[in-house]
Amino acid sequence: SQTIHQWPATLVQPVGSPLSLECTVEGTSNPNLYWYRQAAGRGLQLLFYSVGIGQISSEVPQNLSASRPQDRQFILSSKKLLLSDSGFYLCAWRPNRLAREQFFGPGTRLTVL
Amino acid sequence: GENVEQHPSTLSVQEGDSAVIKCTYSDSASNYFPWYKQELGKGPQLIIDIRSNVGEKKDQRIAVTLNKTAKHFSLHITETQPEDSAVYFCAASNYPGSYIPTFGRGTSLIVHP
């Protein structure tokens, strides 16, 4: 069966520090991968998505970046965090481009102080 | 692009009552409509979905209806229980054309014992 992991579960970082959040998917190959941010207020904001290794599409220009170094690994990064980067970061996956369903990971709670 | 409106933003019911959450979409090409349940501090979980060639789908106490002509779809929860308390999201996507579902802003459902 397929599972999705996000690491870490919670993170507290000072303003100006770097960021690296990791998402890995097991039990599937060549999934579509997504990063969302959920600020207080519940809405899901799509940040990046990837249809394959090295292929990243950005939906929102900001100080975040994403990379997909391996088929089932998706990383969200920042060189210098802002207070406004605080939120709940969700990784999601779709089995392939022909699949309808999208599944979410457990999320990472990021607090920038 | 697609626009999904979701109402109400908050819904408070007594245990045993029914709850209905409504969504409208703008893109007539959308043909897949999933619903997610997000419990506090967790990632959204896919609970039911409907395709555009179906008018209604049921799974135990939950059901979803779709009116393609009016471009709206609804989630119905009968015999609500306290554990149904969560934030519910609707979404719309164009399968297999788009990799990206458009989400509503969420409904916070509170079921009072």
Side-chain angles (χ1 to χ4, degrees), chain A residues 5-101:
Chain A
H5 303 280
Q6 285 189 244
W7 183 88
T10 59
L11 189 61
V12 180
Q13 291 285 93
V15 169
S17 64
L19 173 73
S20 181
L21 302 182
E22 185 172 334
C23 170
T24 57
V25 182
E26 296 179 354
T28 187
S29 60
N30 198 30
N32 293 167
L33 297 172
Y34 308 78
W35 277 113
Y36 290 87
R37 178 169 60 201
Q38 189 174 34
R42 313 189 297 260
L44 293 165
Q45 180 188 31
L46 179 65
L47 302 174
F48 301 94
Y49 69 93
S50 171
V51 300
I53 296 175
Q55 301 179 60
I56 309 294
S57 295
S58 173
E59 291 294 302
V60 182
Q62 51 199 313
N63 69 321
L64 299 173
S65 63
S67 62
R68 186 169 175 175
Q70 300 180 36
D71 181 43
R72 290 171 288 176
Q73 185 184 34
F74 205 22
I75 297 173
L76 183 69
S77 303
S78 175
K79 293 182 179 179
K80 288 186 178 181
L81 283 168
L82 306 173
L83 286 173
S84 58
D85 291 324
S86 293
F88 193 45
Y89 287 82
L90 290 157
C91 182
W93 69 284
R94 237 171 74 148
N96 53 64
R97 65 168 293 173
L98 298 181
R100 291 178 176 87
E101 299 87 354

Side-chain angles (χ1 to χ4, degrees), chain B residues 2-113:
Chain B
E2 176 66 277
N3 182 49
V4 176
E5 300 279 345
Q6 183 172 348
H7 298 281
S9 58
T10 304
L11 179 59
S12 184
V13 301
Q14 288 297 126
E15 183 177 1
D17 289 350
S18 295
V20 180
I21 302 170
K22 299 181 180 181
C23 289
T24 60
Y25 61 99
S26 60
D27 188 351
S28 57
S30 290
N31 56 13
Y32 173 65
F33 307 93
W35 285 89
Y36 290 84
K37 175 184 180 182
Q38 185 178 26
E39 298 177 343
L40 192 63
K42 298 183 179 181
Q45 178 185 13
L46 179 65
I47 57 172
I48 194 168
D49 56 16
I50 191 167
R51 305 177 188 181
S52 59
N53 60 346
V54 175
E56 183 176 2
K57 183 177 178 181
K58 289 183 179 180
D59 183 3
Q60 299 183 349
R61 295 187 296 109
I62 62 173
V64 57
T65 59
L66 170 65
N67 183 326
K68 282 197 66 179
T69 303
K71 296 195 189 72
H72 67 70
F73 56 112
S74 300
L75 177 71
H76 304 253
I77 306 174
T78 59
E79 300 175 22
T80 54
Q81 301 169 3
E83 52 264 39
D84 293 328
S85 296
V87 178
Y88 290 81
F89 291 95
C90 64
S93 66
N94 177 6
Y95 166 86
S98 170
Y99 305 135
I100 313 299
T102 300
F103 286 88
R105 291 189 59 80
T107 295
S108 178
L109 173 64
I110 303 166
V111 181
H112 299 281

